[in-house]
Amino acid sequence: MKVGFVHLGCSKNLIDTEAVIGLFQKHKYEIVNDETKAEVIVINTCGFIDSAKEEAINTILEMAEYKQDKCKYLIVMGCLVQRYERELIKMIPEVDLYIKIEDYDKIWEKVEDLLKRNEVLYEKKQSSKKILEIPPMPMLTQEEFLDRTITTGKNYAYLKIGEGCSNRCTYCAIPYIRGPFVSRKKEDILEEAKEIAKKGIKELIIIAQDTTKYGMDLYGESKLGELLEEISKIEGIQWIRFLYTYPEGITDQLIDIVARNPKIAKYFDIPIQHISDTVLKRMNRKTSKKQIQTLIQKIKNKIPNVTLRTTLIVGFPGESVEDFEALKQFIEQTKFDKLGAFCYSKEEGTPAAKLPDQIHGNTKKARYHQIMKLQQEISRKNLEKKKKEQYQVLIEGISFDGKYYIGRTMQDVPDIDGLVYIKVKDGWKEERIHQFVLCEVIAIQDYDLIAEIVDENIN
């Protein structure tokens, strides 16, 4: 049978999708990229915030339309199912199988029940648990990680080092969806990294809900820095980056390792969410304004060429005008290279949903636009400083008109940060794609760089 996949959500969710694709391939099913040709459609959903839930439900309904044609079975899995399985069963009965995250260890058994026996043997479990009680979550097995089908191309792959989250921020439903933080064994991670390297992939992106927590449950202390150094020894891997580092978990040791290891991107992704101490306290964050400022200055001092990225939440319950002005002032002073912002989303069952002084939607949107307008100007000025600078660039493709190679520097995360457009001289060469070149920046455009090749022999 032909199987099509629809992936929604974050890179951590993408790895689950890749693992399930690998399972189907292992059992000799044909994977297709066109849902109109699929006899089985599998949707991996996100259920993090309202917009993600809306997108997931619309996608399920859209895919359900194909059941009037070739599609025989519609399978839905992931975060939305974990949170709202019972509601979804009633709302969208066209779905043949819903798979909760807590059932991922039995995922193929459930799929086989549906596909091989031509009947649904999956019984919905009735639960007496209260809404958003944290369940223990089984992880996909190591075999499933190794067998996953990487969908991100030949240049980079994500490597998940842990599952779940134990931080318990008051606005976030992730601990209730994914369970508490569980680290993978270092040996398993390194084995998977070596398998990825054998496929010719040059960049590994290390992810977890909070990568700084890696090893705390297994070894009693964070082992992220140690793990990064071990991965850097793997032949073939040329770039390593790690994302989602909560500020309280960034140690001097980790900063020093990043500073001295040439394979590790000089890039810190630090989701601070806010800078006002009163807001941080209501969020149940583990840091203060002073600690955040001290950490950022320490990173800049030790790694002068560092790229800093953060994410913020505006319109959190009780965020006063003064709190918001303090946040804007902090952004102006810090001058983050990359910054993303979100309007606070009231997630049912989370402690923040019950907080008083909820902010009006129009106020949240206005504050969001102020933040992004401010950051746009900061970003432009930061990029202006890159003119005439030289960077190693990994070429990933060619523009539609054939005039530019498209690539990234080591300081740019795929699908999140900007691109480098490299002028093509004397016609483009396909063999140059997936290669490293040295470029000089000659202009900027929005969030991207325009560059010329100065040395193409640096692989």
Side-chain angles (χ1 to χ4, degrees):
M1 298 180 75
K2 295 179 179 179
V3 186
F5 284 82
V6 180
H7 162 74
L8 303 172
C10 65
S11 54
K12 297 176 285 294
N13 213 31
L14 176 62
I15 289 181
D16 294 342
T17 301
E18 293 177 338
V20 177
I21 293 173
L23 278 173
F24 274 91
Q25 288 185 318
K26 181 180 178 181
H27 290 85
K28 309 303 181 185
Y29 288 85
E30 180 184 350
I31 308 301
V32 295
N33 293 323
D34 185 350
E35 292 89 357
T36 63
K37 298 178 181 178
E39 297 161 275
V40 181
I41 297 177
V42 182
I43 307 170
N44 192 4
T45 60
C46 176
F48 183 40
I49 57 177
D50 286 342
S51 58
K53 288 183 279 189
E54 183 179 351
E55 179 188 20
I57 290 170
N58 288 338
T59 301
I60 297 169
L61 293 172
E62 180 185 347
M63 293 300 110
E65 292 294 319
Y66 292 121
K67 293 195 73 180
Q68 300 176 23
D69 191 16
K70 277 186 178 286
C71 180
K72 298 176 182 178
Y73 301 105
L74 181 59
I75 300 172
V76 180
M77 57 185 284
C79 295
L80 189 75
V81 181
Q82 181 64 34
R83 292 189 74 180
Y84 301 108
E85 182 199 29
R86 284 177 287 181
E87 293 88 340
L88 289 168
I89 289 172
K90 295 176 183 177
M91 184 192 311
I92 315 178
E94 295 92 335
V95 174
D96 299 285
L97 177 62
Y98 287 103
I99 304 175
K100 298 171 73 173
I101 293 170
E102 64 186 53
D103 292 327
Y104 277 7
D105 57 341
K106 300 185 288 289
I107 195 166
W108 192 251
E109 176 187 328
K110 292 179 177 296
V111 170
E112 278 194 321
D113 285 345
L114 179 67
L115 302 183
K116 292 286 182 70
R117 302 180 194 177
N118 201 30
E119 61 180 342
V120 181
L121 298 182
Y122 171 62
E123 293 185 2
K124 178 173 64 69
K125 295 179 180 179
Q126 296 295 330
S127 174
S128 60
K129 294 179 180 179
K130 296 178 181 178
I131 293 176
L132 296 189
E133 180 179 340
I134 296 185
M137 292 289 177
M139 294 178 62
L140 290 167
T141 66
Q142 175 66 2
E143 179 184 358
E144 288 165 332
F145 274 111
L146 292 176
D147 287 342
R148 72 183 171 104
T149 299
I150 293 170
T151 61
T152 48
K154 295 181 179 179
N155 287 335
Y156 70 93
Y158 292 102
L159 182 61
K160 185 155 60 172
I161 62 174
E163 184 61 273
C165 185
S166 301
N167 288 331
R168 305 296 294 274
C169 302
T170 58
Y171 53 82
C172 184
I174 292 297
Y176 313 107
I177 298 172
R178 292 274 178 175
F181 188 87
V182 179
S183 302
R184 292 177 65 193
K185 293 180 181 178
K186 184 169 71 173
E187 296 77 14
D188 290 349
I189 295 170
L190 294 175
E191 183 182 356
E192 184 182 2
K194 290 172 184 175
E195 290 298 317
I196 292 172
K198 287 177 184 177
K199 296 175 182 177
I201 290 170
K202 296 176 171 63
E203 177 181 2
L204 279 180
I205 304 176
I206 312 302
I207 56 172
Q209 197 62 39
D210 177 1
T211 51
T212 65
K213 294 293 189 295
Y214 175 71
M216 295 292 292
D217 52 325
L218 293 180
Y219 313 111
E221 60 181 337
S222 177
K223 293 288 185 179
L224 177 60
E226 216 173 272
L227 178 67
L228 292 172
E229 289 201 298
E230 289 292 318
I231 292 173
S232 73
K233 297 173 186 177
I234 297 173
E235 187 176 350
I237 300 300
Q238 298 188 47
W239 286 1
I240 301 165
R241 70 176 76 251
F242 56 99
L243 304 178
Y244 316 119
T245 52
Y246 281 51
E248 66 271 17
I250 299 175
T251 62
D252 289 349
Q253 179 205 33
L254 179 60
I255 298 170
D256 290 339
I257 288 171
V258 173
R260 69 171 180 259
N261 193 311
K263 282 191 176 184
I264 301 175
K266 309 301 178 271
Y267 188 111
F268 277 86
D269 172 30
I270 311 172
I272 63 169
Q273 309 303 4
H274 216 281
I275 200 61
S276 162
D277 283 335
T278 56
V279 175
L280 289 169
K281 186 175 181 180
R282 285 197 295 273
M283 289 179 167
N284 195 34
R285 301 288 290 185
K286 308 302 189 295
T287 45
S288 66
K289 175 179 179 179
K290 184 176 181 180
Q291 288 170 324
I292 291 170
Q293 289 175 320
T294 300
L295 171 66
I296 289 172
Q297 194 56 52
K298 182 187 295 183
I299 293 172
K300 286 183 174 182
N301 289 342
K302 290 192 175 183
I303 313 174
N305 60 337
V306 72
T307 295
L308 293 177
R309 175 181 175 81
T310 195
T311 50
L312 305 170
I313 295 175
V314 296
F316 190 78
E319 181 190 56
S320 66
V321 173
E322 292 76 19
D323 293 329
F324 181 66
E325 289 301 319
L327 182 61
K328 289 201 300 182
Q329 185 180 32
F330 171 72
I331 293 168
E332 289 176 334
Q333 292 170 346
T334 307
K335 294 178 172 56
F336 286 98
D337 300 279
K338 328 277 186 178
L339 184 147
F342 301 89
C343 294
Y344 166 71
S345 176
K346 185 178 179 181
E347 293 301 304
E348 59 184 307
T350 59
K354 300 177 182 178
L355 287 176
D357 303 319
Q358 297 283 329
I359 306 296
H360 192 277
N362 290 340
T363 302
K364 288 191 281 190
K365 289 178 183 177
R367 290 178 179 180
Y368 166 81
H369 289 300
Q370 286 185 56
I371 292 292
M372 296 315 297
K373 183 178 180 181
L374 176 60
Q375 179 59 28
Q376 188 175 31
E377 181 62 21
I378 292 170
S379 177
R380 187 189 64 78
K381 290 179 180 178
N382 286 342
L383 288 180
E384 284 283 355
K385 296 176 184 177
K386 296 181 183 289
K387 285 182 180 178
K388 298 186 179 180
E389 294 291 326
Q390 294 185 355
Y391 296 93
Q392 185 187 47
V393 177
L394 176 57
I395 296 177
E396 298 186 300
I398 188 79
S399 62
F400 289 114
D401 58 12
K403 294 181 180 180
Y404 295 92
Y405 292 111
I406 302 173
R408 291 182 294 111
T409 73
M410 200 179 196
Q411 303 306 94
D412 296 302
V413 177
D415 299 325
I416 296 176
D417 297 333
L419 298 169
V420 181
Y421 290 87
I422 307 163
K423 286 192 172 183
V424 172
K425 294 181 180 179
D426 305 321
W428 68 277
K429 302 173 184 176
E430 188 171 352
E431 64 270 19
R432 188 166 279 163
I433 297 175
H434 312 308
Q435 299 295 315
F436 292 95
V437 293
L438 186 65
C439 293
E440 182 172 311
V441 178
I442 59 174
I444 65 167
Q445 188 175 39
D446 296 327
Y447 295 98
D448 302 322
L449 302 174
I450 312 298
E452 291 181 335
I453 296 175
V454 295
D455 188 350
E456 57 185 72
N457 300 306
I458 63 171
N459 290 282

